[in-house]
């Protein structure tokens, strides 16, 4: 079995030799990348809120395994599902396209991102209680609930 690193190296060599990648393979690679980015955005928002996959599933009319699969990048959600997730997480969904890059986020209704919600206020403006999700893991793990 070929490891990911060896496969990527072989692909990079072909590109360097001027051998173009099959358009279908390139399209699939972009779809996988989008699925992962969408899953990461759901994970970031859910952990910032401090809710479990089970609670998000309940709020969005899904099952916990569906939320898990989505967060791990195993599926590209439909627009209606993204709308349900945004409502369930009390957030705005944003997708920004620029060139070949895509940025997806779920932001607070006031426009702040999960990363901004994790930052502490300046010492002169300390909050009386930690912001929701302030203790959320900065790294992504295979959370199960």
């Amino acid at each position: 079995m070929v490891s990911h690193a060896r496969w990527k190296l072989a692909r990079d060599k072909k590109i360097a030799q001027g051998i173009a990648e099959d358009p279908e393979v390139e399209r699939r690679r972009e779809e996988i990348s989008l699925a992962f980015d969408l899953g990461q955005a759901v994970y970031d928002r859910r952990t910032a809120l401090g809710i479990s996959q089970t609670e998000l599933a309940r709020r969005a009319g899904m099952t916990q395994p569906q939320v898990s699969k989505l967060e791990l990048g195993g599926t590209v959600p439909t627009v209606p599902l993204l709308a349900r997730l945004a409502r369930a997480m009390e957030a705005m969904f944003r997708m920004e396209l620029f060139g070949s890059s895509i940025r997806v986020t779920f932001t607070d209704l006031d426009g702040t991102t999960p990363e901004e919600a994790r930052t502490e206020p300046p010492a002169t403006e300390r909050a009386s209680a930690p912001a929701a999700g302030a203790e959320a893991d900065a790294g992504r793990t295979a959370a199960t609930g």
Side-chain angles (χ1 to χ4, degrees):
M1 184 172 190
V2 177
S3 74
H4 174 73
R6 289 176 65 191
W7 171 83
K8 187 175 184 312
L9 181 61
R11 180 181 56 121
D12 291 346
K13 282 183 182 178
K14 286 181 182 180
I15 291 171
Q17 294 171 352
I19 301 171
E21 188 170 58
D22 182 347
E24 180 61 23
V25 171
E26 187 175 334
R27 184 197 64 75
R28 182 68 180 132
R29 186 182 322 284
E30 288 173 1
E31 186 176 306
I32 290 168
S33 178
L34 177 60
F36 180 78
D37 291 346
L38 286 164
Q40 185 68 51
V42 170
Y43 173 84
D44 289 345
R45 178 64 183 173
R46 180 182 63 76
T47 57
L49 291 173
I51 63 173
S52 67
Q53 288 182 344
T54 303
E55 176 60 18
L56 176 57
R58 185 192 64 75
R59 291 181 184 187
M62 302 171 67
T63 65
Q64 181 275 326
Q66 289 172 320
V67 172
S68 178
K69 184 176 181 180
L70 176 70
E71 286 187 357
L72 293 172
T75 184
V76 177
T78 62
V79 172
L81 178 56
L82 289 168
R84 285 194 346 243
L85 286 165
R87 280 192 296 276
M89 295 187 292
E90 302 168 353
M92 290 186 292
F93 172 72
R94 295 177 189 224
M95 179 181 282
E96 300 171 30
L97 308 169
F98 41 93
S100 62
S101 298
I102 299 174
R103 180 175 178 233
V104 293
T105 56
F106 286 92
T107 58
D108 284 337
L109 295 176
D110 68 3
T112 58
T113 63
E115 295 81 24
E116 292 167 342
R118 285 191 199 114
T119 60
E120 289 193 31
T124 58
E125 298 178 17
R126 293 251 320 141
S128 58
E135 294 100 23
D137 291 334
R140 179 173 180 187
T141 61
T144 58

